[in-house]
Amino acid sequence: MIEVANRLKNVEEYYFSKKLREVAFLKSQGKPIINLGIGSPDLEPPFKATMLLRDSLDDEGANKYQGYQGLPELREEIANFYNKRYKVNLSAQTEVLPLLGSKEGIMHISMAFLNPGDEVLVPNPGYPTYEAVTKLLEAKPVLYDLKEATDWQPDFIALERLDLSKVKIMWINYPHMPTGANATNKFYDEVIAFGKRHNILIVNDNPYSFVLNDKPKSIMRYNNAKDVCLELNSLSKTFNMAGWRVGMLVGSYDHINAVLRVKSNMDSGMFYGIQKGAIEALKCSNMWFVSLNSVYQQRRELIWKLAEELNCTYDKDATGMFIWAKLPPHLKSEEFTDLVLKEHSIFITPGTVFGSNGEGYVRFSLCAPEDVIKEAIARV
């Protein structure tokens, strides 16, 4: 076999890619596995979005290559969405870039701004892809602590003590995954000022702001944000469209244009029908969010009960589509989740998947029907 690139030597296969193979094997052996580990929405997308996708297949040019920046009307609707939902003014022409899912945006942003040897501030715990992509590009992840004692917020005094001379990007993610913590107005002001002081690009990954959250926020609403910030967002969680792969990046023209230079060499545009459906989804009324969160609220109460049955504690003020639960003292996350899988055929995620500060915690997903969650409770 031809030797793989050096960049792969420090990057492992994504945890869920490996674990889901194990879960699939157990199912094939007749085990009745309940999957509460994955954040893949099981609810339906907006009906009008699905219908528009179907109807658009007959449009002239529907099957041709599409523009790298997406349809003008999609960019316009993203700008309208940000104005209506976040009170943020964006230029649809220069400050919005549709993506094939926000996960690709993590790679494209990193490719646009990082050189080998550059450093990146990565939250611990946090989404594992931030660290993995950094390593793939032969840059160095510098983990910064998020802890329950500080409400899962960064300690800027500790950050200022670091040698930041090589840091190019700082990843933040609020509402936070996996903990569900929300950021304060003070935090956004502080992180923007921090980025300006040290010439660091602050990237807020913001796909969970409408799930069980009464006050969605965008970093772009804060003073001077466009000087040093980008924001990723997605239709995956907000509109149950994970498999459609529709994301977006917003920020200043210069930052967006840099990412576009990478993206235009990596794909050939988003499928026309998906763009048309996405436009319709972004137009959803407040009733969509009320209905969505009504379902998740009922599921969350059941997951709280399941967590209690497993002797875990949790924060009722957390938001998003996961429950971050603390284990009893002295229990290890992976040992605990392996035991729950073996004893009860329930798959939940160990906190250590998200970093060393996840030790002693587990994550439950709300992406399962109520009857399935009730069955999980009954098993425990």
Side-chain angles (χ1 to χ4, degrees), residues 265-276:
N265 284 287
M266 300 295 288
D267 68 59
S268 298
M270 188 187 302
F271 179 56
Y272 175 84
I274 287 177
Q275 294 190 68
K276 298 296 281 189

Side-chain angles (χ1 to χ4, degrees), residues 47 65 107 124 184 334:
F47 177 73
Y65 286 125
M107 174 61 83
N124 176 16
T184 62
E334 291 194 34

Side-chain angles (χ1 to χ4, degrees), residues 8-22:
L8 288 184
K9 295 178 181 177
N10 295 318
V11 178
E12 296 182 0
E13 184 183 4
Y14 193 44
Y15 170 82
F16 290 111
S17 175
K18 294 185 292 185
K19 198 66 177 180
L20 288 178
R21 282 201 302 272
E22 179 185 340

